[in-house]
Amino acid sequence: MAHNSVIKGIEVDTETRCIHYHSEIDRIAIKFFCCGIYYPCYECHEAVGCGTNKVWPKEQFDEKAVLCGACGHELTVNEYLECASTCSACSASFNPGCSLHKHLYFEQ
């Protein structure tokens, strides 16, 4: 559990890092559209998730779907995509490399 949100995954720490992504700036979890559950990464979802992967449709980018592991603030998809890898609530840095995987979470 990170900041009152349940985060599923493998070896998840208090800032949402997991066995797959665990650098200092790996501190977000993404609520998967298919199951509505937060996971630190797509690999954790593949390993222990719902067995289905559906990305967030563009028309629902105003829904809260990204959790800052530093402060627990929930960002909408739009806020996350526009945040320049920084939490809008606490200014914690997010891993900019996560943008390489955005197609796995959000409709392009």
Side-chain angles (χ1 to χ4, degrees):
M1 184 170 299
H3 309 285
N4 298 321
S5 294
V6 174
I7 314 297
K8 288 191 173 183
I10 302 171
E11 297 181 24
V12 181
D13 75 6
T14 58
E15 287 198 351
T16 74
R17 295 176 194 91
C18 66
I19 193 169
H20 306 105
Y21 297 95
H22 46 269
S23 77
E24 174 64 25
I25 55 176
D26 288 315
R27 62 167 57 98
I28 65 161
I30 298 174
K31 185 187 298 181
F32 276 72
F33 183 73
C34 45
C35 56
I37 298 171
Y38 277 110
Y39 291 86
C41 72
Y42 69 94
E43 292 180 73
C44 281
H45 183 257
E46 286 177 5
V48 299
C50 68
T52 306
N53 188 27
K54 294 183 181 175
V55 297
W56 282 90
K58 287 182 181 182
E59 58 272 4
Q60 292 189 29
F61 278 15
D62 60 342
E63 297 288 325
K64 292 184 179 188
V66 179
L67 178 74
C68 173
C71 72
H73 178 69
E74 289 183 286
L75 294 85
T76 67
V77 175
N78 280 327
E79 288 171 331
Y80 175 69
L81 293 174
E82 297 168 2
C83 78
S85 300
T86 303
C87 179
S88 57
C90 74
S91 299
S93 296
F94 301 148
N95 189 338
C98 291
S99 65
L100 299 173
H101 304 142
K102 66 183 176 186
H103 65 284
L104 299 171
Y105 309 106
F106 313 118
E107 185 178 47
Q108 298 301 293

